[in-house]
Amino acid sequence: MTTTHTGYLLIADITGYTQFLTSSEMDHANPILQSLLGVLLEQVGDPLHFWKTEGDAVLAYSIRQDFPSGETFLTICENLYNAFALRRQDIIANTTCNCNACANVSALDLKIIAHHGQFDEIQMGPAKDISGADVILVHRLTKTDVAEHTGIRSYALFSEAAADAMDISEIMEPFSQDIEHFGEVRMKVYDLAKSWERLRAKRQRHYLAEEDGVWTFRHHFNAPIGVVWEFLVAPELKQNWMDRIKTVTVENPQGRLAPGSNYHCAHELADFYYRVTDWEPFEYFSTRIQDPARPHISLPETYHLTEINGGTDLRYTFGEATDVAGNRSEISEQEAAAFLAEFWAASFAEMDKKLDQSN
């Protein structure tokens, strides 16, 4: 059975693989590569589907028409790189072996190639395969001269079609190259290593555990964690499920959702303004929200996600409401808890419906 889809095609390719294998002792080189490939596989989950591995690469695709958004897809790419870099760092830190394999781990890196187009999904017994001209193109894009022309070694390379579908191409560097049988292909380059360093440099944590908060609300969603995350953060999706919300807008000083992004939710009863203070995609994010009745008062919030049995548990916690001098406002906390108990119950019930419709 063959089904034609439109979606993203992704290849996470370990660079330096051939030189690493040919100059290393196989009894140590293979476990190192298996460990690095394994951590990449752990990051592939809905809305991405695992396709296969090809030696030094993990291949995946998405058949959703409305997921992932550009923000979520770029976050998936960053998470793949972050997981790879952390595992590579752990291997280096935890070995005292002087063999070539262990000594050369730092030479291994990761590039991610992505394209958006059409492909055929073919069911062959218990296995699935995909094919088509766009599948050929994404493989050809693994053999470009990006590093030589840009100096960027750890990169995500998006075809123009992928960058346009993601709608965040303004934060990427343009690049083009002639590809056999496809002609001049325009692309966008995103520096993954620089992004990783920037996100973690001098980073302040603003995370509320339940015991550190004033009030907590819990809800379980029958949807994968990546999809729930997107519903919670994407303004165009939030507007569709938040109870009595008329519009949701965001200002992104960094060009994308990140600490410093400012949300404005226009509710039937009041305007709510909050700023992202901490951002750990697919795990938690924290904000600081103004009391609409007392603009000089604000309170911290944390949305924490946990994957469980194919679904996602959400824990929302807010902390002490204070003014800029640190003076506490218990009346703001009481009013917030009373409002949010009703608001979250109605909103998450509607979000459940929207999630069901998206499947």
Side-chain angles (χ1 to χ4, degrees), residues 43 55 76 118 134 181 203 233 249 274 283 292 295 303 330:
Q43 298 298 313
I76 288 170
Q118 281 195 336
D134 286 311
H181 302 305
R203 178 175 174 180
V233 302
T249 56
Y274 52 101
E283 182 179 347
Y303 300 72
E330 294 190 26

Side-chain angles (χ1 to χ4, degrees), residues 223-240:
I225 200 166
V227 177
V228 173
W229 172 273
E230 185 168 42
F231 263 80
L232 290 172
V233 302
E236 66 276 13
L237 296 177
K238 289 169 72 71
Q239 188 170 314
N240 291 332

Side-chain angles (χ1 to χ4, degrees), residues 56-311:
D56 57 348
V58 172
L59 286 69
Y61 63 101
S62 171
I63 60 175
R64 289 179 178 268
Q65 299 304 304
D66 51 344
F67 296 106
S69 69
E71 285 284 350
T72 299
F73 191 76
L74 185 56
T75 297
I76 288 170
C77 294
E78 288 177 325
N79 282 357
L80 280 163
Y81 183 78
N82 293 352
F84 173 88
L86 287 170
R87 180 61 58 86
R88 181 183 58 187
Q89 181 178 301
D90 288 343
I91 292 171
I92 294 170
N94 292 311
T95 184
T96 57
C97 179
N98 293 321
C99 75
N100 289 331
C102 295
N104 293 334
V105 173
S106 60
L108 296 172
D109 215 323
L110 187 72
K111 64 184 180 186
I112 296 173
I113 314 299
H115 178 50
H116 188 270
Q118 281 195 336
F119 52 89
D120 291 330
E121 185 181 41
I122 307 166
Q123 187 73 48
M124 298 183 296
K128 284 184 180 180
D129 200 3
I130 61 173
S131 65
D134 286 311
V135 176
I136 296 171
L137 177 57
V138 75
H139 279 85
R140 297 284 176 85
L141 296 183
T142 63
K143 305 298 183 184
T144 63
D145 300 324
V146 171
E148 291 83 351
H149 283 83
T150 67
I152 301 172
R153 184 175 175 226
S154 312
Y155 59 82
L157 178 65
F158 302 96
S159 68
E160 187 174 57
D164 288 346
M166 294 165 68
D167 195 27
I168 51 175
S169 61
E170 67 278 1
I171 65 173
M172 303 176 189
E173 183 175 332
F175 176 76
S176 66
Q177 185 170 319
D178 187 73
I179 306 294
E180 186 180 7
H181 302 305
F182 291 93
E184 190 77 10
V185 177
R186 290 192 291 270
M187 295 161 266
K188 295 286 186 175
V189 184
Y190 186 73
D191 191 330
L192 290 169
K194 184 180 291 184
S195 171
W196 185 51
E197 292 166 3
R198 183 173 62 248
L199 287 171
R200 281 152 178 78
K202 300 180 181 177
R203 178 175 174 180
Q204 290 185 316
R205 294 285 178 175
H206 296 274
Y207 175 81
L208 282 173
E210 184 171 359
E211 59 269 23
D212 299 324
V214 172
W215 185 82
T216 289
F217 189 93
R218 294 181 178 276
H219 190 84
H220 178 78
F221 297 101
N222 293 317
I225 200 166
V227 177
V228 173
W229 172 273
E230 185 168 42
F231 263 80
L232 290 172
V233 302
E236 66 276 13
L237 296 177
K238 289 169 72 71
Q239 188 170 314
N240 291 332
W241 59 263
M242 296 181 82
D243 184 47
R244 293 182 290 171
I245 289 290
K246 296 182 290 184
T247 60
V248 179
T249 56
V250 183
E251 292 181 358
N252 292 319
Q254 296 187 33
R256 57 178 304 206
L257 289 170
S261 294
N262 295 291
Y263 283 84
H264 171 208
C265 296
H267 190 274
E268 290 179 3
L269 301 180
D271 287 320
F272 293 89
Y273 296 91
Y274 52 101
R275 175 175 53 87
V276 176
T277 56
D278 200 355
W279 191 256
E280 193 64 45
F282 307 148
E283 182 179 347
Y284 77 89
F285 65 95
S286 297
T287 73
R288 191 156 192 101
I289 186 168
Q290 288 182 352
D291 182 338
R294 304 170 187 83
H296 63 291
I297 301 292
S298 63
L299 54 85
E301 310 171 291
T302 290
Y303 300 72
H304 186 265
L305 304 180
T306 305
E307 190 170 16
I308 181 167
N309 298 327

